[in-house]
Amino acid sequence: MMQKPKGFFHQVVGGIIVLVALLSSAWGNQFVVLSPHAQFQPVGLKDVYWTEGFWAERFQLCHKIVLPKMKEALLDPENGASLINFRIAASLEEGGHRGRDWSDGDCYKWLEALARVYAVTADPQLDREMDYWIDLIRRTQEADGYICTQIQLDPTKDRWQRRHHHELYNMGHLMTAAAFHYQATGKKSFLEVAEKLADYLYTVFAPRPKELGHFGWNPSNIMGLVDLYRATGKPRYLELAGIFVDMRGSVPYPRGFVSDPKLWDPHPGDQTQDRVPLRKESYAVGHAVTGPYLYCGAADIVAETGEKLLFDALVRIWHDVVDRKMSISGGIGAHHHTVSIRGDQVHEAFGLPYELPHRNAYNETCANIAHAMWNWRMLRLTGDARFTDVVELVLYNSMLSGMSLDGERFRYTNPLARLHGVERGTHDSLERWRVSRSYCCPPNVARTIAATATLAYGISPNAVWIHLYGSSRLETDLCGGGRLRLIQQTNYPWEGFVKVTLEQVPDGLECVRLRIPGWATESVTRVNGAVLDVPTHPGSYCELRRQWSSGDVIELEFPLKVRLMEANPLVESARGQVAVMRGPLLYCLESCDLDPGVDIRNVALRRNSQWNVRRDSGLPGEMVILETEGLLWPGKPWDRLYRPLEEGSPAPVTIRMIPYFAWNNRGPCEMLVWIPLD
């Protein structure tokens, strides 16, 4: 008889599982569970695609350049993530395990990106590529369902020996990739591997063995199990996801010397959000990927169960992040190394409130992406546009900055300043790289770019939600209410005009919800040319309710004004400085755009700057740049810690700013996001 897990989750899930399974619906060419406690459902992988413009260009880049170049890196013996491990495990090559402990997970993320791109393109080469590696993964899996090449190929390691061996991280990404592969192809080859693995995990963790109470470092396994549940409708996967959430912080983590090898960890407690049970937590602490991954998994569970305690904790933590610990780029995890509020050593981590450095900002690309993933889930739970604002902020800035403009090289950290002559922190490379000992970020960027179109829309029984703007085509079922087809045309984010044509309208469509970005203070909405007198509050969804007909045209317009942004005075690193934004884009100043001999440290902006907004054909995609006349203060190169203030008056200087996501593409230039204000 199956042993029942303890905790709140088991109390609520029993009555809900049957109901949710009955709510399953044919959606996106695949049988999935509709989340009963979400305000809207995401659209299927095949239901939407970018047609032209900003995200279409990047999706095409992902398809043609990023994914094949990433395969080359994953086959490079110097890289930290290695596909070769599956060939070795399948006895096609000789040798031991290659790369880092989390290598498998990064390969699975690459496969997820392939699946997402295949869903749109039906590229047969991608299908063959996935089949090849999935067959090797299947051959790697052991008879009981276990699969982790860094354990299987290393005779010095045992299963569940050390939580920082990242077994659950790897397994979680396998389950997620398998669920999306099934949605994209209809094939069950990868899904069967994932189910066999999840069934094995259930036998190990459902009984809640005490010796594994702290197990789990980076909890992608929670999201993976919910993805698998949604793909199969099998209740035990949702139940096991809840058990993993219950485990976090369930027993006070030991301090000082630890004799039990299963509990030993060089960075225990807050580093992995394991000092306080999640339902009682109010602060974002520790590693800025493991935290948001945990919050994502918990939000997924709330979407299925409606648990209020868990949701309330997520809201408290979200406010701590967005109100006190988020960079203006949407980046999170400001510190390379620091100490948590409870005295635990942490790295790649959140710091104390308002500790947001510029030059030393860590802001790992994976953390930024996890932040967007978490906010997307909070949006689904609430329908609140403040979460969409964060998703958009990350996508255009601190996610996209992790990849070069040509799609071939990447960054791990995303600082807000680059100044020469000082040491750089861990992973803070001078230039972008093709391979790395820590290769987790590139496949994360690839799968995120591949997923952007599915983030642009949502559907509910009587409404379509438009979250993100970009030229695109959507054709989907309105949650059983008939077939909906629409076309979006826009040159966003460079221009603020959006046109939506409803080509096919189902009888059940009552409302179109248009997101009004938080920065859009002057919006105009029209239907069939007539201006509507409806609320268009910044940071909300504008609800357009009427009797819709095929051929109706919606127009949304908001001026993209250049905004000088200041930080809360408690952010001491930004006192007396401003950042520049236009629409969703953050801008930066690079030294290669200043005259030779001009020290970027001596440049200042005027409070009443007049901006010239123009396209630059010298940059890929003819992106919009900003130009203004600033001030150049006198000052000699620094050779000491302190000196008397330099006498003299400022001279005019031309300041040319580019989108932040485009920095570090023209060699090792110096860079500033925050610039002194006259």
Side-chain angles (χ1 to χ4, degrees), residues 109 169 173 217-220 223 271 273 285-296 332-333 347-350 362 364-371 412 440-441 444:
K109 284 186 282 187
Y169 168 81
H173 281 298
W217 210 93
N218 196 347
S220 61
M223 286 183 284
Q271 170 68 4
Q273 299 76 40
V285 296
H287 198 284
V289 179
T290 69
Y293 269 28
L294 174 62
Y295 313 147
C296 283
I332 58 172
H347 63 274
E348 300 182 317
F350 296 102
Y362 201 73
E364 180 191 345
T365 303
C366 279
N368 305 337
I369 291 171
H371 190 209
Y412 194 98
C440 53
C441 298
N444 226 352

Side-chain angles (χ1 to χ4, degrees), residues 357-379:
H358 301 166
R359 178 175 57 84
N360 289 324
Y362 201 73
N363 293 350
E364 180 191 345
T365 303
C366 279
N368 305 337
I369 291 171
H371 190 209
M373 291 163 55
W374 175 28
N375 275 270
W376 167 251
R377 286 160 168 80
M378 297 298 286
L379 168 64

Side-chain angles (χ1 to χ4, degrees), residues 11 74 77 105 240 342 439 459 638:
Q11 299 173 26
L74 292 170
L240 183 58
R342 302 180 183 102
Y439 197 75
I459 53 173
W638 281 86

Side-chain angles (χ1 to χ4, degrees), residues 359 418-424 430 601 638-639 668 670:
R359 178 175 57 84
R418 161 59 54 75
L419 298 173
H420 296 162
V422 290
E423 294 81 2
R424 297 184 305 278
L430 186 63
R601 300 166 180 81
W638 281 86
D639 59 357
E670 294 186 295

